[in-house]
Amino acid sequence: MEKRYLLVLDLQFFSGEKTEKATPQKRQESKRKGQVAKSPEVPAAMIMLGGIMLLNFWGGWMLDQLLAIYRINFSQYIAWEWSPINIRNLFEQMTFNAIKIVAPIMAIAMVSGFLGNYIQVGSLFTTDPLKMKLERLDPIQGAKKIFSMRALVELVKSLLKIAIIGFAAFSVLWSEKEELFLLSQKSIGYSLSFIGSLTLKMATVSAIILLCLAILDYMYQKYEFEKGIRMSKQDIKDEYKKAEGDPLIKSKIKERQRQMSMNRMIQDLPNADVLITNPTHYAIAIKYDAETMAAPMVIAMGKDHIALKIKEKAKELEIVIMENKPLARALYHQVEIGDYVPEELFLAVAEVLAYIYRLKGKIK
């Protein structure tokens, strides 16, 4: 039984089943392509709610502007003579009046739509969804999308939204049924005011319900998006290889870097004054010029087989090799190639250099 269970797990692994959460790199790549969790119901609900709030605060002013347009049309413009100049002036004046009324509605719609998208996906600008892709013209794939489970879910959502909002609007009307039946006995002004307030109330209730449904739809879209960008274990491994590089290629690059570093050290080695060794584990080449350098400098160093190569090259160049285990170990762990000898080791290195210079007869 246990072997069968392990076999099933292995089959799932090699089948590439997408069971793992998406990595940050995968999420960033999806966002660059415009693939994000977004519900179109959220901006629609916010546009509707913003429009209702605008009518609630500025509805009286907009009504006055409309009545003023009707008054001036039937009191002044109707008496004008038909001429090209008058027609042009009439067109310009009516266009300006219309823009003055419509502009606040358009502005609040644009701001509400922008906020509805921004709170879902944040700042995002990409042209990838606009690119021409031949697979989008595939009729088979198009038919699959039309008759897919997702299309069925969207249809059910739309029907439920219509049913819920319709029931809410009917409930508002039903609560005012007695007043509606008495409108025939009221004045025209009162009837228009009542119908306007009732319409605004129905729209407000519908907008609030639509906003609640939009939040639920966003949660569903978020779930579908997370499900769609899941990755298999093999996908995660491939992404790691792509981000970090193939281990084989990385090892070759490191080997190439080590070889280049070794070649540079061998080229600089003839300038060394002394080679301090461990004697088999470490090798550090020291150079010092009292006229141009403030302190001795390490120009080559290595460990194990690199140290052995440096020693062999130093023998060919007839560089003095001095065994000093503590000093070699300390230099290897504290200094990099091209660094000056630190102060705490300066005295020990100076003694070694003085001994070398005495050997070469540079100092008495």
Side-chain angles (χ1 to χ4, degrees), residues 173-239:
L173 285 175
W174 188 256
S175 64
E176 301 289 344
K177 62 181 184 300
E178 296 179 359
E179 191 68 22
L180 282 171
F181 292 148
L182 296 176
L183 286 181
S184 59
Q185 304 174 12
K186 307 292 183 179
S187 63
I188 295 178
Y190 176 83
S191 299
L192 291 176
S193 177
F194 177 78
I195 292 175
S197 62
L198 183 61
T199 303
L200 189 62
K201 184 178 179 181
M202 291 171 56
T204 303
V205 172
S206 299
I208 293 173
I209 294 176
L210 184 61
L211 185 60
C212 295
L213 293 176
I215 294 173
L216 294 176
D217 183 62
Y218 173 74
M219 295 171 64
Y220 169 75
Q221 297 293 342
K222 183 83 172 174
Y223 166 77
E224 285 291 322
F225 174 74
E226 293 293 336
K227 183 179 177 181
I229 63 172
R230 283 179 184 173
M231 304 173 67
S232 64
K233 291 183 174 62
Q234 186 61 38
D235 291 337
I236 295 176
K237 289 178 63 179
D238 294 341
E239 184 183 86

Side-chain angles (χ1 to χ4, degrees), residues 273-343:
D273 293 314
V274 64
L275 183 68
I276 303 173
T277 63
N278 192 23
T280 57
H281 294 294
Y282 303 107
I284 296 91
I286 303 293
K287 173 188 176 182
Y288 180 61
D289 186 351
E291 297 180 356
T292 60
M293 300 173 62
M297 177 186 293
V298 174
I299 61 173
M301 63 188 303
K303 181 180 179 182
D304 297 334
H305 67 284
I306 298 179
L308 183 60
K309 291 182 179 180
I310 293 175
K311 287 174 61 178
E312 292 175 354
K313 188 65 177 179
K315 290 179 181 179
E316 294 178 7
L317 298 171
E318 297 181 352
I319 297 172
V320 178
I321 300 175
M322 177 173 288
E323 179 181 338
N324 191 325
K325 296 181 180 179
L327 181 57
R329 189 180 300 110
L331 286 171
Y332 185 85
H333 290 98
Q334 297 183 33
V335 185
E336 298 291 336
I337 297 175
D339 292 347
Y340 290 107
V341 173
E343 293 182 3

